[in-house]
């Protein structure tokens, strides 16, 4: 028989039902109530299987190390037709695969505008029948062509794109140029001013940037991302410092370009007046790093999170190119003008690649000013960055967060940790109007649908059992 303690404990940690903590506290013993939730419903067997996988620990260490070894360099700017082999009638979009019939309002609006921009129709409204027929057009995720696209993420052959390259491997990723905020194609707007801006970007800004980046030499995007986190950006919804640093690096080459002084001044004004301009460099830089972590057998690390306005999808290192999808969620945040929640479309865009890499919503502690744009409070931002460390595999020392004593950004979302804790990745996002043609209506915070992580875990468990022959 075990003897009872003769001395009362100095303190007791309590989890679960509060009645036990209350009973101890009533006996004048200090109680520390600890947050704890059971694993997600239906995941216990799969968690046990994957946790016992002899490959998992080393596979995740390898996936993270491959990601951290990547140096993303901006090496060029060129048309999508040249870089991605896109032909007339071929369009890329954000998120997992989707067909026109299920496409959300902002994705439809962006496709209609892009069709007019490419000369397939005279009036964007006429493009609905074109896409509904599907006979002369095709849709494909940006991710399937090594690219990423913010919000609707629509890319057509004539659009110019940033080129990011890892010099050690020669691998490349791509992203279109940022159009600014408000009524822009990526938010589903397609009015005359949208098409006029796209033509200027095709005829002036793209060629000018291509000439300047080529003359300036590779620009170290990974290093800029590290500096941004120390200057108040989180590199998803706040890119002010990053945009200015990019301008600093290419400004001399812009001035020395073959373009007229008026065109150069116009480009300076456009980029300097658009605090989100660097986002379209940060996104492919993150994808370049995460793509290096793909296809490691046994790894439970998430390598992509993306939304098309209807579905939210993730891809995991150990399950190849398979998408795990669920319904995209509505963001909670602040609205522009008279817009409200009823005007917003569910979450959309490939920009969650920043959170997948450990910045954006994961690094909100580095950018307390962001709470004024997406809602929330500064303590919320600090708590979020700390909470994300519970579902990640490692840290990225090249992306330190000053207010967290320069700890590296939480890196490598682990499917098993998400299922075990119930903590979902936090994403900072813009909000597009539900109706095609409206544009941006706000910005806020959102999480993925919880169901996609147990689905990914089940696929990992199935592969684990197959390897074990059971």
């Amino acid at each position: 028989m075990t003897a009872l303690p003769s001395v009362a404990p100095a303190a007791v940690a309590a989890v679960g039902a509060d009645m036990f903590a209350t009973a101890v506290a009533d006996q004048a013993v200090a109680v520390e109530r600890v947050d704890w939730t059971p694993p997600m419903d239906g995941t216990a067997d799969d968690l046990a299987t994957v946790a016992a996988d002899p490959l998992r620990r080393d596979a995740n260490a390898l996936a993270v190390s491959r990601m951290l070894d990547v140096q993303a360099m901006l090496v060029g700017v060129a048309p999508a037709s040249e870089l991605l082999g896109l032909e007339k009638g071929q369009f890329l979009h954000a998120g997992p695969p989707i067909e026109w019939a299920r496409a959300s309002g902002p994705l439809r609006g962006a496709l209609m505008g892009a069709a007019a921009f490419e000369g397939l129709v005279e009036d964007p409204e006429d493009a609905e029948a074109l896409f509904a027929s599907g006979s002369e057009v095709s849709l494909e995720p940006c991710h399937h062509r090594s690219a990423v696209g913010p919000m609707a993420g629509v890319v057509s052959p004539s659009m110019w794109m940033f080129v990011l390259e890892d010099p050690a491997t020669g691998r490349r990723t791509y992203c279109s140029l940022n159009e600014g905020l408000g009524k822009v194609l990526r938010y589903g707007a397609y009015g005359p001013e949208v098409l006029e801006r796209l033509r200027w970007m095709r005829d002036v800004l793209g060629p000018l940037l291509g000439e300047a980046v080529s003359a300036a030499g590779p620009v170290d995007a990974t290093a800029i991302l590290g500096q941004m986190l120390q200057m108040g950006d989180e590199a998803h919804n706040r890119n002010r410092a990053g945009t200015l640093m990019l301008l600093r690096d290419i400004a001399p080459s812009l001035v020395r370009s073959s373009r007229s002084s008026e065109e150069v001044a116009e480009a300076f004004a456009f980029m300097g007046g658009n605090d989100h301009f660097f986002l379209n460099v940060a996104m492919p830089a993150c994808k370049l790093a995460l793509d290096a972590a793909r296809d490691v057998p046994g790894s439970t690390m998430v390598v992509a999170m993306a939304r098309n306005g209807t579905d939210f999808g993730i891809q995991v290192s150990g399950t190849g190119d398979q998408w795990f999808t669920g319904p995209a969620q509505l963001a909670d945040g602040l609205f522009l003008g008279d817009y409200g929640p009823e005007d917003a479309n569910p979450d959309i865009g490939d920009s969650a690649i920043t959170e997948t890499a450990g910045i954006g919503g994961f690094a909100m502690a580095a950018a307390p000013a962001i709470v004024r744009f997406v809602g929330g409070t500064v303590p919320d931002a600090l708590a979020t960055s700390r909470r994300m460390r519970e579902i990640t595999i490692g840290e990225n020392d090249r992306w330190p967060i000053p207010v967290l004593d320069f700890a590296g950004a939480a890196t490598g979302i682990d499917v098993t940790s998400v299922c075990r804790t119930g903590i979902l990745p936090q994403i900072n996002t813009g909000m597009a109007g539900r109706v095609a043609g409206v544009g941006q209506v706000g910005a806020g915070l959102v999480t993925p649908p919880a169901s996609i992580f147990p689905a990914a875990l089940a696929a990992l468990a199935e592969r684990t059992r197959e390897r074990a022959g059971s």
Side-chain angles (χ1 to χ4, degrees):
M1 180 177 178
T2 303
L4 294 173
S6 58
V7 179
V12 171
V15 298
D18 197 58
M19 59 181 291
F20 300 108
T22 301
V24 174
D26 288 345
Q27 299 175 57
V29 177
V31 178
E32 182 72 22
R33 290 172 169 81
V34 179
D35 288 337
W36 179 84
T37 55
M40 290 180 171
D41 288 344
T43 62
D45 290 344
D46 290 337
L47 271 173
T49 299
V50 175
D53 184 355
L55 296 184
R56 185 174 69 94
R57 181 173 177 177
D58 289 344
N60 280 341
L62 177 62
V64 169
S65 67
R66 284 181 178 176
M67 174 190 169
L68 299 182
D69 284 344
V70 170
Q71 196 75 21
M73 308 294 290
L74 174 61
V75 298
V77 184
S81 58
E82 175 184 323
L83 297 171
L84 305 178
L86 283 186
E87 298 178 354
K88 196 166 187 176
Q90 293 182 316
F91 298 89
L92 305 185
H93 63 81
I98 193 168
E99 65 282 3
W100 173 260
R102 296 182 64 244
S104 62
L107 178 53
R108 288 188 174 207
L111 287 168
M112 292 158 63
F117 172 62
E118 293 293 337
L120 295 176
V121 293
E122 187 69 27
D123 186 333
E125 299 284 350
D126 296 335
E128 285 196 77
L130 178 70
F131 285 105
S133 71
S135 59
E136 299 178 17
V137 296
S138 65
L139 307 182
E140 183 182 5
C142 292
H143 270 287
H144 292 188
R145 298 248 186 166
S146 300
V148 279
M151 301 310 291
V154 169
V155 177
S156 63
S158 301
M159 294 179 183
W160 284 61
M161 307 190 78
F162 288 118
V163 185
L164 278 292
E165 181 179 286
D166 177 16
T169 62
R171 289 185 306 101
R172 288 185 166 191
T173 52
Y174 312 92
C175 187
S176 55
L177 310 182
N178 193 284
E179 313 160 73
L181 296 174
K183 287 191 176 297
V184 289
L185 190 83
R186 73 177 188 279
Y187 279 97
Y190 53 73
E193 72 275 25
V194 175
L195 298 180
E196 182 181 356
R197 186 185 307 111
L198 288 176
R199 294 183 186 110
W200 173 77
M201 293 172 72
R202 176 194 63 195
D203 298 336
V204 177
L205 182 64
L208 176 54
L209 285 172
E211 187 176 338
V213 170
S214 178
V219 177
D220 192 338
T222 300
I224 289 179
L225 283 166
Q227 294 176 58
M228 290 168 66
L229 295 185
Q230 300 181 62
M231 298 169 68
D233 284 353
E234 42 72 81
H236 186 168
N237 262 318
R238 186 177 171 89
N239 288 271
R240 182 168 295 180
T243 297
L244 294 176
M245 281 188 279
L246 175 62
L247 266 177
R248 175 200 62 185
D249 286 350
I250 65 174
S253 297
L254 285 171
V255 173
R256 296 190 187 105
S257 73
S258 62
R259 292 282 171 164
S260 70
S261 59
E262 184 60 33
E263 288 175 326
V264 172
E266 197 175 8
F268 267 115
F270 179 78
M271 290 184 283
N274 175 11
D275 289 341
H276 285 68
F277 194 77
F278 189 78
L279 172 63
N280 293 37
V281 176
M283 288 173 56
C286 291
K287 178 168 175 59
L288 190 64
L290 287 159
D291 278 359
R294 287 178 175 269
D295 302 320
V296 180
S299 174
T300 57
M301 178 176 155
V302 177
V303 294
M305 296 195 293
R307 316 87 98 194
N308 56 35
T310 303
D311 308 314
F312 191 120
I314 61 170
Q315 293 179 310
V316 180
S317 176
T319 54
D321 293 333
Q322 183 176 358
W323 286 99
F324 303 96
T325 63
Q329 310 291 296
L330 281 169
D332 181 16
L334 303 177
F335 292 89
L336 304 175
D338 295 330
Y339 291 121
E342 68 280 3
D343 301 308
N345 193 78
D347 197 22
I348 186 170
D350 286 334
S351 54
I353 196 72
T354 57
E355 279 82 6
T356 318
I359 49 180
F362 281 47
M364 285 179 67
I370 194 64
V371 301
R372 300 188 66 182
F373 187 65
V374 298
T377 65
V378 172
D380 288 341
L382 291 168
T384 296
S385 290
R386 291 191 177 106
R387 189 168 65 253
M388 293 301 101
R389 308 178 84 80
E390 296 187 38
I391 59 171
T392 45
I393 299 167
E395 295 182 1
N396 188 339
D397 292 336
R398 290 190 293 187
W399 295 345
I401 300 177
V403 74
L404 297 182
D405 201 19
F406 293 94
T411 295
I413 299 168
D414 186 348
V415 168
T416 62
S417 296
V418 173
C419 291
R420 180 175 54 78
T421 64
I423 297 174
L424 296 172
Q426 182 69 69
I427 299 166
N428 290 344
T429 189
M431 284 187 272
R434 184 182 295 275
V435 178
V438 169
Q440 186 177 12
V441 300
L445 304 172
V446 71
T447 57
S451 61
I452 58 179
F453 293 95
L457 180 69
L460 288 162
E462 183 178 352
R463 289 174 182 241
T464 303
R465 295 182 186 109
E466 289 174 354
R467 282 200 303 273
S470 58

